[in-house]
Amino acid sequence: MAINPEQLASSCSQVVLEEDPQRMVWEAPADVGDHSTGGLVCFKNVPTYLVHNDAGNYAKEKRSSPTVNGYTIDLHGILDIGQYMTQHFSKKNRGNIIRSVRRLEDAYNIKYTRYYGEIDKQECDHLVGLLKEMIISRFEERNETSHTLRDWEDIQNTLYPLILQKKASLVVLSQGEIPIAISISYHYNELFFYFSTSFDITYNKFSMGSIMLYKQLEWSIANNYLFFEMGWGDLDYKRRWSNRVQPLRNHYVFSGSEPMAVVRYTLVSLKSRLIAYLISIKVNVLYRKVRNWMTRKKSSFVPVVYELEEVSAPPDLEASQVVNTELPGNTHLKTILNDFLYSSQENYSQTRIYSYKDDFYIKGKTCCKKIQISSGAGGDNVLKT
């Protein structure tokens, strides 16, 4: 994350464009000397385009040395999503992203819902719970730990009121009435903060992460945002999509008349400089490797290994048992179904998986194939009902 979104949305009294159209100015909160904060307010990992306005006589402001880089899509001069895709991506990469969007929308009854300014509290909690389950499944598949989940209680508690205030939004991509991808974002004037996204891993073939980012970016451009912020973290999708990489700094605002605030700033800034030095010599990379090695558990995720065999004379399947791929025990067959829809360009409404004797068949409008699932690779746990 590049910015603490709730702190930015709640504590800053104003964010405006400076004369330089590439920079935004934020003002310190008026209660900077409040004893509840010890007289010190810290804004962590602030990008260089977000600069602090003159604090005046009531407060001082200091900046730390950069610790990490932030990834941003600068939208100045961008009129629509097509323009950005053409400017930023090669023809091949652009085609792959757009093809994923079209194949998903051609294969299913896809609906995009944005909750922004209005949402039922129960619905909000339900969707956030689904997003958490998606994140857990996604990281279980990768055998990694999600740092976002460590703060999940705070995220869930603050999201609902921020959506009502239009300081946050929740986007749901649904297949029919079933959510298959969910995204949380935060908003502040011209800044759109793309915070957390996950999806049903059985739709991996469709590059769901790219589809959600594409749709969020499309909406941001249409609604006149100037910065699409993706935060820190050297991840492949951030490198591919961003057109602006800048160092992030911590900003400290404190009352010069509060002795304890000065002491607190001194201690916190020393800690920040130490962290910056350790990051510069890659200690953080070593730490993550050691921590992951020590805490890594054996993943319970078993990928499905299968082949689709052409059948010249398929059996009569109409009287056979149709498999409900939405049942929990049929996750591997659901993956096969979604993979088939992507590669064959068939439609979900016209495609079924059948259980015939001891075999499975997948049949669309134009073709039918026999499913050969390797034993011990997801096949042993598949239900046939």
Side-chain angles (χ1 to χ4, degrees):
M1 294 181 293
I3 308 168
N4 181 322
E6 189 195 4
Q7 187 179 52
L8 177 64
S10 302
S11 299
C12 293
S13 59
Q14 186 179 4
V15 174
V16 297
L17 283 178
E18 204 181 26
E19 289 183 4
D20 180 354
Q22 303 294 316
R23 295 168 75 81
M24 297 172 69
V25 177
W26 55 274
E27 294 182 358
D31 60 349
V32 68
D34 188 347
H35 289 284
S36 64
T37 64
L40 175 70
V41 176
C42 176
F43 296 88
K44 295 183 178 181
N45 298 324
V46 180
T48 53
Y49 62 78
L50 198 61
V51 297
H52 176 217
N53 200 10
D54 183 11
N57 296 325
Y58 68 91
K60 293 184 178 180
E61 188 261 345
K62 299 287 186 181
R63 303 176 190 178
S64 69
S65 301
T67 55
V68 293
N69 285 328
Y71 295 84
T72 305
I73 301 177
D74 190 328
L75 297 176
H76 287 86
I78 302 298
L79 301 178
D80 55 47
I81 185 67
Q83 179 186 357
Y84 185 76
M85 298 293 289
T86 301
Q87 290 182 1
H88 187 70
F89 290 103
S90 68
K91 183 178 180 180
K92 178 181 178 180
N93 291 335
R94 183 170 70 250
N96 288 339
I97 295 168
I98 296 174
R99 186 180 304 111
S100 293
V101 175
R102 288 177 178 170
R103 286 196 177 178
L104 181 72
E105 294 177 349
D106 288 343
Y108 304 96
N109 176 23
I110 293 297
K111 179 173 65 174
Y112 301 93
T113 305
R114 180 177 299 275
Y115 297 94
Y116 181 56
E118 184 177 357
I119 188 173
D120 177 76
K121 179 65 165 61
Q122 187 175 359
E123 179 71 1
C124 183
D125 291 341
H126 171 65
L127 292 171
V128 172
L130 287 180
L131 174 57
K132 181 180 180 180
E133 292 175 8
M134 291 175 180
I135 294 173
I136 292 172
S137 297
R138 180 78 173 120
F139 278 83
E140 178 73 17
E141 177 192 32
R142 293 159 55 178
N143 199 18
E144 296 178 359
T145 301
S146 169
H147 301 298
T148 303
L149 293 181
R150 294 183 302 186
D151 303 318
W152 199 254
E153 186 175 349
D154 290 338
I155 293 169
Q156 185 156 10
N157 290 338
T158 59
L159 183 63
Y160 174 70
L162 289 176
I163 289 176
L164 298 184
Q165 299 167 42
K166 290 192 172 182
K167 294 179 179 178
S169 62
L170 191 62
V171 171
V172 182
L173 189 163
S174 301
Q175 191 273 100
E177 298 302 318
I178 302 173
I180 60 175
I182 302 174
S183 179
I184 293 175
S185 300
Y186 294 93
H187 310 253
Y188 201 84
N189 288 5
E190 294 89 355
L191 190 154
F192 183 99
F193 185 18
Y194 187 65
F195 177 70
S196 180
T197 296
S198 197
F199 53 88
D200 183 337
I201 59 175
T202 64
Y203 292 81
N204 267 338
K205 199 78 171 180
F206 287 91
S207 302
M208 297 296 291
S210 292
I211 291 175
M212 287 296 280
L213 200 157
Y214 176 92
K215 287 295 181 178
Q216 290 278 56
L217 181 60
E218 181 181 43
W219 186 88
S220 300
I221 297 171
N223 286 271
N224 302 315
Y225 285 87
L226 298 180
F227 298 98
F228 186 96
E229 180 64 53
M230 292 182 287
W232 61 270
D234 187 28
L235 299 177
D236 178 64
Y237 81 91
K238 295 182 182 182
R239 293 194 299 269
R240 287 191 294 111
W241 283 85
S242 64
N243 62 2
R244 179 169 180 167
V245 180
Q246 70 279 316
L248 304 179
R249 300 175 182 269
N250 295 340
H251 289 240
Y252 306 95
V253 183
F254 58 96
S255 172
S257 61
E258 290 281 347
M260 284 306 300
V262 178
V263 173
R264 285 171 58 85
Y265 161 70
T266 302
L267 295 176
V268 171
S269 62
L270 284 173
K271 178 182 177 181
S272 177
R273 277 183 279 181
L274 175 61
I275 292 174
Y277 171 72
L278 294 176
I279 290 177
S280 71
I281 60 175
K282 306 296 184 183
V283 171
N284 61 315
V285 177
L286 177 62
Y287 168 75
R288 283 199 300 269
K289 288 181 179 179
V290 173
R291 181 194 59 196
N292 290 339
W293 177 76
M294 294 181 65
T295 60
R296 176 167 292 183
K297 300 177 182 178
K298 186 177 180 180
S299 175
S300 60
F301 176 79
V302 180
V304 60
V305 179
Y306 70 95
E307 292 183 359
L308 297 182
E309 178 184 318
E310 297 283 352
V311 285
S312 55
D316 181 12
L317 298 174
E318 296 307 317
S320 302
Q321 177 70 49
V322 177
V323 177
N324 182 357
T325 57
E326 294 300 327
L327 292 177
N330 288 343
T331 302
H332 299 294
L333 285 177
K334 184 178 179 181
T335 298
I336 294 172
L337 173 62
N338 291 331
D339 289 356
F340 173 80
L341 291 173
Y342 177 85
S343 58
S344 68
Q345 301 182 53
E346 294 272 6
N347 187 272
Y348 176 77
S349 64
Q350 299 172 315
T351 304
R352 300 287 185 272
I353 290 182
Y354 295 90
S355 174
Y356 179 78
K357 296 183 178 181
D358 292 327
D359 297 316
F360 290 103
Y361 290 83
I362 186 166
K363 183 179 180 181
K365 182 179 180 180
T366 60
C367 67
C368 178
K369 296 186 178 183
K370 184 179 180 180
I371 302 172
Q372 299 281 11
I373 303 177
S374 299
S375 177
D380 295 339
N381 297 322
V382 176
L383 298 179
K384 299 186 179 181
T385 58

